Each structure stands twice: as C-alpha cells, then as structure tokens.
Amino acid sequence: MNKLENKVVVVTGASKGIGASIAKYFAAEGAKVVVNYASSKEGADNVVKAITDAGGKAISVQGDVSKAADVTRLFEETKNAFGALDILVNNAGIYQYAPIEEVSADSFDKQFAINVWGSLLAIQASLKLFGDKGGNIINISSEAGKTPLPTGAVYSATKAALDAITISLSKELGAKNVRINSILPGIVETEGSHSGGFIGSDMEAKLVANTPLGRTGQPEDVAKVAVFLASDDAGWITGEKISVSGGIYGL
Ligand SMILES: NC(=O)c1ccc[n+]([C@@H]2O[C@H](COP(=O)([O-])OP(=O)(O)OC[C@H]3O[C@@H](n4cnc5c(N)ncnc54)[C@H](OP(=O)(O)O)[C@@H]3O)[C@@H](O)[C@H]2O)c1
C-alpha cells in the first residue's frame, strides 16, 4: 500500500534540488504532485516527465511564492487539475551568505520575502483548499536556523522565523486537523548549493568534519523524511523541528 495514495500535494520550488526529489518521492508513494517553480520551466517539466514516465501524476505550475497573485493562481490551478489539496511542502527558498558589513536591504528583503512571507502566503492559500478534512504542512527549514554559521545571519534568521511559524501554527491549526512540522536539513548537495559555491568549499569540509555520519546530504535524505511526515505514520506529530543532517552540531 502506497503511503500517500491519491493525496494531492503542492511542492514549492520543485524544479531542482530538494524540492524536485520530494516531488518524485511523493509521486512514487501515490501522490498527485504540483511541481511549482519560479523561472526554471525546463527543470520543472523534467520533474513532471520523470514522474509521469514512472506511471505517476504531476503538473508543473509557474509562480513566485513571494507574490500573492502568483500564489493564488498556483492554488487555483491545483484545484482545477486535482480538485483538492491534502499536503503543502514549503520548500522554495534562497540562501545568500555575506559578511555583516555587506548585508543589503535588497538581500534582506528578498530572503525574507521568499523564505518567510512566501511560506505564509502558501499556507494561507492551502488552508482554503484543505477545508474541513484538514491537511498537512511541511516547512523545509534548515539547521542554519538552529546553529547559525558566520556570514549567514539573514538566512539563518529566515529559517528561525519559519520554525517559529511552525510552532505557532501547530497550536492554531491542530483543532482543524492540520499538522505542521519543520525539516531542518544540514548541508545538502543541490543545484543551489553548487552554484552558491558551498559544495567543495572550506565551509562544506568543516561542516562534514562536524557531522557524526561524516558526509554531505543528498536530496533524497530529506525527501524520505518528508514522505514520513506527510503520511499517516506521523499522524500524532505536529509542531516539531526535525533535523535531517547526519547529526551535525554546527561550526
Ligand atoms: N542545499 C542545502 O544545503 C540546504 C540546506 C538546508 C536547507 N535548505 C533549504 O532547502 C530548500 C531547497 O534548497 P535547494 O538547495 O534544493 O535549492 P535550489 O537547488 O537552489 O532550488 C531552489 C528551488 O526553489 C525555487 N525557487 C526559488 N525562488 C522561488 C520563488 N520565489 N518562488 C518559487 N520557487 C522559487 C527554484 O525555482 P527556479 O529554479 O525556477 O528558480 C528551485 O526550484 C530551501 O528552502 C533551502 O533553504 C537547503
């Protein structure tokens, strides 16, 4: 029996990286998947193709999660395609590291707009589609919110904010049968961590040295835990911050 049979899920930022892996693992467990992306249409279409080639169901929908009109359209298209919504995975996020002297208003605004406000907009839209049956929200946070690194003040602040949202909303929404949890990945090899210069860097080497399981993560390490949290196996888990990090203890 598939763990997510016929569940409808929106995965934000699923054209690559951790989001793409979550989309594929959810589809393999029987979910109907909305693959959201901001600009990488080709990446999103490739994820949809991989899912449908394997016999699953998926569509791609463009939408910048930091823009209210885009988020409204994303969830309208979800309803039009699949008629309902059971699960939201707030994965879309950006990470911009810089020494404090170089932190700009633009970088601050952008990271908070996507990582925090974008997650709140998607949650608001999801609640309307969850309806009386309830639903399930997974926020892809970061170990960086718990053990912030040098030059990561703003990014870490966005993820600490996201974790606060998880805890607050677990109390607000439990009576509506909505579960909400954060996953806190350690460093994971993705398109974003490659293009940001993290993979192969001194920072990665130090992080792996402080990781008991001794390696950088892969997207599927996170995706498998997301499947668990979305499934009935996690039916009595809400408001939790779950580290998926090889046991990393920071720098
Ligand atoms: N990689 C790590 O080491 C790591 C560790 C801890 C936590 N995380 C978190 O995990 C999540 C995914 O990270 P990743 O490394 O997989 O990133 P990634 O490879 O850079 O992929 C980011 C995804 O988010 C999408 N996205 C970016 N801005 C968006 C927006 N405004 N609206 C909608 N989608 C948007 C991108 O879409 P386009 O391609 O269309 O732009 C892409 O699909 C992030 O929240 C990140 O903070 C990552």
Side-chain angles (χ1 to χ4, degrees):
M1 170 73 179
N2 288 327
K3 290 188 177 210
L4 302 175
E5 196 65 42
N6 284 324
K7 299 286 187 192
V8 178
V9 58
V10 170
V11 185
T12 66
S15 57
K16 53 172 82 106
I18 292 170
S21 185
I22 290 173
K24 290 176 195 167
Y25 270 78
F26 274 51
E29 289 290 347
K32 301 171 190 169
V33 183
V34 177
V35 175
N36 161 252
Y37 66 99
S39 58
S40 305
K41 179 172 177 5
E42 191 182 349
D45 288 345
N46 286 340
V47 173
V48 169
K49 185 172 184 319
I51 289 171
T52 52
D53 283 354
K57 291 196 175 73
I59 59 166
S60 68
V61 180
Q62 191 279 334
D64 178 339
V65 294
S66 67
K67 294 183 178 159
D70 284 22
V71 173
T72 299
R73 181 172 45 74
L74 167 63
F75 286 86
E76 278 171 2
E77 292 191 26
T78 299
K79 191 176 178 193
N80 291 342
F82 296 130
L85 181 70
D86 301 289
I87 304 159
L88 166 68
V89 182
N90 268 323
N91 167 79
I94 58 169
Y95 31 92
Q96 297 178 343
Y97 279 70
I100 186 61
E101 295 82 358
E102 293 170 22
V103 169
S104 66
D106 183 55
S107 173
F108 177 92
D109 289 346
K110 205 169 169 196
Q111 291 186 83
F112 268 89
I114 296 172
N115 299 2
V116 183
W117 181 232
S119 298
L120 286 170
L121 282 174
I123 289 169
Q124 287 178 329
S126 295
L127 292 173
K128 291 181 192 154
L129 286 190
F130 286 163
D132 292 341
K133 70 177 176 8
N136 197 320
I137 300 165
I138 297 168
N139 290 326
I140 303 300
S141 176
S142 175
E143 270 297 306
K146 200 170 83 181
T147 51
L149 303 176
T151 71
V154 177
Y155 174 65
S156 292
T158 68
K159 295 302 189 177
L162 190 57
D163 292 340
I165 288 165
T166 292
I167 294 167
S168 174
L169 293 186
S170 71
K171 297 172 182 174
E172 200 170 321
L173 300 176
K176 294 181 177 168
N177 200 26
V178 174
R179 295 193 294 109
I180 177 166
N181 293 286
S182 284
I183 293 178
L184 283 57
I187 185 167
V188 178
E189 184 176 8
T190 64
E191 287 87 336
S193 59
H194 268 285
S195 64
F198 296 97
I199 301 301
S201 69
D202 287 349
M203 184 190 276
E204 182 194 20
K206 286 182 193 163
L207 290 171
V208 170
N210 289 352
T211 298
L213 293 181
R215 65 171 172 86
T216 294
Q218 293 298 318
E220 54 267 31
D221 291 316
V222 181
K224 290 173 192 171
V225 179
V227 166
F228 164 69
L229 281 176
S231 76
D232 288 344
D233 291 345
W236 211 38
I237 299 178
T238 196
E240 297 292 350
K241 298 181 283 181
I242 297 179
S243 293
V244 181
S245 66
I248 197 167
Y249 48 88
L251 283 182

